[in-house]
Amino acid sequence: LITLREGNVLKVSFPGSPTLDTVQQIRSDGKINLPLVGEVDAAGLTPPALQNKLVDLYAPQLSTKQVTVELQDSSFPVYVTGMVLHPGKILSAHPLTALEAVMEAGGFDYAKANLKSVVVIRREGKNMKNYNLNLKAVLQGKQSEAFYLKPADIVYVPERFSMF
């Protein structure tokens, strides 16, 4: 079963009260904002679990205890920049590793890329946090742990400096 995450677009329908129907994108804090009840945590839940939560939240307002949650779009953006062949925004609808994102961006510019110090920049709350990755070790099979990206992560492949 699908687990909802940031960036998912949800269609929330109220068969008994169609005026409440809405399409919402789950924000980076994992919440959606719904009429009458306000902020609701959605990320990390399955669509049926969110439906049950909304039936409970809306119980006082609804004559029919029916709410449907439908996942409309599960793609999320990540950005790849630096020494890759096609820098820019990548949309993915499935979990994506930093290495896969680089490959989606056309791969490394092998003449210039420093594969040993790739940086993933991620917003965590109000702060930006950097994760340093050695993708050369991953490519050589020396490191097997995949680094999965989150929506709006930035993958930066720095330039390798060579001494002449």
Side-chain angles (χ1 to χ4, degrees):
L1 207 58
I2 302 163
T3 301
L4 300 172
R5 64 168 187 255
E6 301 91 358
N8 286 165
V9 177
L10 305 177
K11 181 178 183 192
V12 183
S13 310
F14 300 85
S17 310
T19 53
L20 295 174
D21 290 0
T22 182
V23 173
Q24 293 275 324
Q25 183 169 26
I26 301 176
R27 299 188 316 242
S28 57
D29 62 3
K31 297 179 190 301
I32 54 176
N33 194 347
L34 294 173
L36 305 176
V37 297
E39 306 277 303
V40 179
D41 285 314
L45 297 175
T46 62
L50 182 57
Q51 280 175 200
N52 294 340
K53 185 175 186 172
L54 296 179
V55 166
D56 291 347
L57 285 171
Y58 278 99
Q61 287 95 342
L62 297 177
S63 50
T64 59
K65 306 284 181 255
Q66 274 186 299
V67 181
T68 58
V69 173
E70 201 182 319
L71 181 60
Q72 285 201 315
D73 183 6
S74 63
S75 63
F76 63 95
V78 295
Y79 304 89
V80 183
T81 187
M83 298 297 118
V84 292
L85 297 182
H86 305 289
K89 177 165 137 179
I90 292 166
L91 286 174
S92 179
H94 56 84
L96 191 69
T97 66
L99 182 57
E100 289 166 340
V102 168
M103 294 307 153
E104 289 274 339
F108 298 102
D109 178 344
Y110 284 100
K112 296 180 185 155
N114 181 346
L115 309 186
K116 290 181 182 171
S117 49
V118 173
V119 180
V120 173
I121 304 161
R122 175 176 295 166
R123 176 182 294 282
E124 293 187 356
K126 289 184 170 61
N127 303 317
M128 300 303 272
K129 185 162 183 200
N130 288 12
Y131 295 89
N132 293 308
L133 309 177
N134 180 345
L135 293 184
K136 185 170 188 170
V138 175
L139 287 170
Q140 292 172 336
K142 293 176 183 166
Q143 186 183 334
S144 58
E145 196 177 314
F147 186 91
Y148 283 95
L149 299 175
K150 291 190 172 177
D153 276 358
I154 299 164
V155 179
Y156 170 63
V157 180
E159 189 166 359
R160 181 174 67 220
F161 295 103
S162 53
M163 303 309 262
F164 292 105

